[in-house]
Amino acid sequence: MKKIFTLITIVITSLGALAQLSVKQVPCGIDPNCYTTIQAAVNASTAGQTITVFPGIYTENIVIKKALTLQSNAGPAVTILQGIGPADYDAPIRIYAPIGGSVSNVTIGGSSGHGFTINGIDNISAGQEASGLLLGNNDQVPYGAISNVVVSYNIFSSQGESSILSYYSIPVYINGLTINNNNFVGQTFTGAVPFPSNDQFADKNAAKPVISINKGASNVNINYNDFNVITGRLSNGNVNILVESVVSFITYNDLILHTGGFNGGMNVRGSGAVIRCNRLEGTDRQGVPSFGMYYVQTGGLDPVPYGVADVASKNTFLPLGFYYEPNNTISTANIFGFGIGANTAFPAPTCDVLPLTILQVTAKRSSDGFLNVEWLTANETDSKNFEVEMSTDGRNFTVAAKQSSKGQGNFTYQANINAPLAADIYVRIKQLDISGKQSYSDIVKVAGIKGESNLLVIGNPVRDQIRIEGMAGRTTLLLYNQQGVLLQTKITQSYFESLQVDKLPAGTYLLKVVKEDRTTQSFRIVKQ
């Protein structure tokens, strides 16, 4: 059982939240936060907002240069991003910073059931690549910095090119890229066979890697993804994962290798890489037995080169169980060997992991009825998800919020839970491993706010009705929109009351509860 260390602090925060924008392929009516194209919603958004895309096929090339979350309403099967091409450096999604500026905290998908199907674009000339997701841009020199990008729970379909690509002629500085829980399908060249070379500068139809993260990257995390992409035939092909990064974590990926020749699953360069618990299966190589790993290269940055035996024993290579690394002369720090025996058991018996540690938990009491919980993790390698549990007596806990694990590394998580202001609240965090094991943090107590009533809005965010509990005496309920327009008024003497909001558009509202003594308590209501 893993031990979770906690530290709790209490902070009062102010009212206020950003409205959630939506994108639909049907008329939006009078909803001011609804758009018919994704790019229009991106342009109208404020940094930090969430854009929810409803089912449909969206044919557009989206450019993102600000912090935001782009998520689907109903999952990748019915929400498809189809780029416009062919053209050089085109992609359904491009993320890059303005010249001299920066962009950070961009999420594509983000959680189960909220990802997209992202169909890549084929380029029109050699060496001028296109992709499904492009980081950086050829017309933005000098580049700004990109940080904290999360791409998760999507389906990427390669259409003759890479699925995820960072611009490579000049380094694109990316610090913090997480690619987790995605499905990769398709083909990285067109036609029956690729150009007879894996040199992308020689012909536009040379086979490309599925993921290609190039110079300038650091802290790259690629975990829990499934790869079933054709990246070559006969003797011509490319790898599934190409990474040049200072520090990278590549773990728990499942790769079916349709690569051609001696190419295999990964080409990892840079320093500080952790490559373990991946499954590489070369079962469809036109009858040619497959080596699992192409090569691992340190680039001279790491004082201790990667050990062949270390990578071989901590990953699974099927069917032959060989680790293959050619004698590459780019750096004197390269290691090389041929026919090194490797692990064929799945999972690898030496998939050892460091224990998860939660370094800090912070709870921020808010006067609108929310308890804002934040926790920091270290050595996170095999977590599946987290649950924030709440209690008013310290004994009987209920799940108040859930968060999927971000994968391998150190991360920050946040959750807003609905809690009575007057009551003492007990909070703990439950962590679930991919193996099914679970552990709990220590129980932490958040004191109630003296003088406040025990009012509680149940089930916020809401869909059809707002339910309020804990009233006493004659009480007036007032519901306002973000513009301050009074939408509903209700007078009640019940302990429990509700307001119907099923006909209101999605967005953020303000509920004021005016008590008999004219004291007022306000709640931020999120309507889905």
Side-chain angles (χ1 to χ4, degrees):
M1 187 71 70
K2 299 174 181 170
K3 183 168 178 58
I4 301 178
F5 301 97
T6 61
L7 172 66
I8 192 89
T9 58
I10 303 172
V11 181
I12 302 297
T13 59
S14 59
L15 284 171
L18 294 171
Q20 181 170 287
L21 307 183
S22 61
V23 181
K24 301 178 181 179
Q25 291 192 323
V26 296
C28 292
I30 62 172
D31 184 357
N33 295 319
C34 177
Y35 299 84
T36 55
T37 69
I38 299 173
Q39 188 64 62
V42 170
N43 294 343
S45 67
T46 302
Q49 281 189 295
T50 295
I51 300 173
T52 299
V53 182
F54 283 74
I57 299 175
Y58 295 85
T59 305
E60 53 182 306
N61 292 347
I62 305 156
V63 176
I64 298 174
K65 295 188 283 187
K66 66 181 78 169
L68 59 80
T69 295
L70 186 65
Q71 65 179 22
S72 72
N73 169 263
V78 293
T79 318
I80 300 167
L81 307 185
Q82 179 67 55
I84 302 172
D88 298 336
Y89 303 108
D90 266 343
I93 303 177
R94 283 189 292 166
I95 301 172
Y96 63 90
I99 294 176
S102 63
V103 59
S104 63
N105 301 318
V106 177
T107 297
I108 308 299
S111 58
S112 179
H114 293 290
F116 300 89
T117 292
I118 302 174
N119 292 328
I121 297 176
D122 190 26
N123 69 303
I124 60 174
S125 56
Q128 309 292 312
E129 307 304 333
S131 58
L133 169 63
L134 179 63
L135 300 164
N137 195 43
N138 64 317
D139 62 0
Q140 295 291 307
V141 180
Y143 293 123
I146 301 173
S147 61
N148 299 326
V149 174
V150 176
V151 183
S152 55
Y153 294 97
N154 303 286
I155 298 173
F156 282 90
S157 179
S158 295
Q159 306 286 319
E161 298 286 337
S162 297
S163 283
I164 299 178
L165 171 70
S166 70
Y167 185 72
Y168 52 82
S169 292
I170 299 174
V172 176
Y173 293 102
I174 304 169
N175 182 12
L177 171 62
T178 298
I179 303 171
N180 285 358
N181 296 290
N182 299 284
N183 239 338
F184 292 91
V185 297
Q187 183 169 303
T188 66
F189 58 93
T190 58
V193 294
F195 181 74
S197 168
N198 62 1
D199 181 0
Q200 69 240 29
F201 299 100
D203 188 274
K204 79 180 191 70
N205 198 37
K208 312 300 191 306
V210 182
I211 295 177
S212 185
I213 307 302
N214 296 289
K215 295 176 292 186
S218 59
N219 296 307
V220 173
N221 301 278
I222 303 176
N223 311 291
Y224 305 102
N225 301 284
D226 288 329
F227 293 81
N228 194 359
V229 185
I230 299 174
T231 60
R233 293 188 189 280
L234 302 176
S235 62
N236 310 309
N238 220 311
V239 296
N240 281 224
I241 299 173
L242 168 64
V243 172
E244 296 187 52
S245 174
V246 178
V247 182
S248 57
F249 293 89
I250 304 174
T251 67
Y252 294 100
N253 298 287
D254 198 339
L255 297 86
I256 303 296
L257 306 178
H258 313 264
T259 59
F262 288 108
N263 285 294
M266 302 183 195
N267 177 345
V268 182
R269 310 172 194 169
S271 63
V274 174
I275 305 169
R276 63 186 177 200
C277 301
N278 300 285
R279 177 181 178 272
L280 299 94
E281 182 175 355
T283 57
D284 186 3
R285 295 286 298 280
Q286 297 77 47
V288 178
S290 172
F291 294 101
M293 183 80 70
Y294 179 32
Y295 64 85
V296 178
Q297 172 188 354
T298 66
L301 300 175
D302 217 345
V304 181
Y306 304 136
V308 174
D310 181 69
V311 176
S313 64
K314 292 184 178 180
N315 297 274
T316 300
F317 301 92
L318 301 170
L320 295 185
F322 275 85
Y323 172 91
Y324 171 73
E325 183 178 358
N327 184 358
N328 190 287
T329 59
I330 294 176
S331 167
T332 57
N334 289 344
I335 55 173
F336 52 89
F338 183 84
I340 307 297
N343 172 55
T344 56
F346 181 76
T350 53
C351 277
D352 56 306
V353 295
L354 296 173
L356 169 77
T357 300
I358 291 188
L359 298 177
Q360 183 181 47
V361 177
T362 303
K364 300 178 180 179
R365 263 295 198 174
S366 174
S367 60
D368 61 2
F370 280 97
L371 190 66
N372 310 123
V373 181
E374 179 178 288
W375 63 102
L376 311 179
T377 67
N379 302 327
E380 190 174 337
T381 56
D382 62 349
S383 295
K384 182 178 181 180
N385 58 41
F386 298 91
E387 294 179 353
V388 181
E389 297 188 341
M390 182 183 75
S391 171
T392 56
D393 60 11
R395 297 183 300 275
N396 301 300
F397 285 85
T398 58
V399 177
K402 294 183 179 181
Q403 288 279 352
S404 296
S405 170
K406 296 180 180 179
Q408 170 81 43
N410 307 331
F411 299 104
T412 299
Y413 295 88
Q414 293 179 330
N416 293 330
I417 63 175
N418 199 16
L421 287 173
D424 292 340
I425 301 299
Y426 299 84
V427 176
R428 69 184 183 188
I429 296 174
K430 175 182 175 182
Q431 181 261 342
L432 187 68
D433 284 353
I434 59 172
S435 64
K437 296 179 181 178
Q438 62 188 37
S439 58
Y440 291 89
S441 72
D442 296 332
I443 298 173
V444 293
K445 179 181 177 181
V446 183
I449 301 175
K450 188 176 180 180
E452 291 288 349
S453 66
N454 204 28
L455 285 175
L456 176 64
V457 175
I458 302 171
N460 194 10
V462 303
R463 291 187 179 275
D464 299 323
Q465 60 180 212
I466 303 170
R467 295 180 294 165
I468 309 100
E469 181 181 297
M471 294 171 292
R474 181 184 172 91
T475 306
T476 303
L477 307 178
L478 305 169
L479 183 65
Y480 298 84
N481 65 14
Q482 283 191 300
Q483 290 73 41
V485 177
L486 179 62
L487 303 177
Q488 290 190 42
T489 302
K490 192 169 189 178
I491 300 174
T492 181
Q493 293 193 9
S494 300
Y495 174 83
F496 178 92
E497 192 57 80
S498 63
L499 294 176
Q500 286 298 126
V501 293
D502 54 311
K503 296 183 180 179
L504 293 179
T508 303
Y509 297 84
L510 180 67
L511 173 67
K512 289 187 177 182
V513 181
V514 183
K515 289 167 263 187
E516 202 164 19
D517 61 1
R518 297 191 175 274
T519 58
T520 301
Q521 188 171 343
S522 298
F523 295 87
R524 175 170 53 90
I525 306 296
V526 177
K527 166 68 166 59
Q528 294 182 332

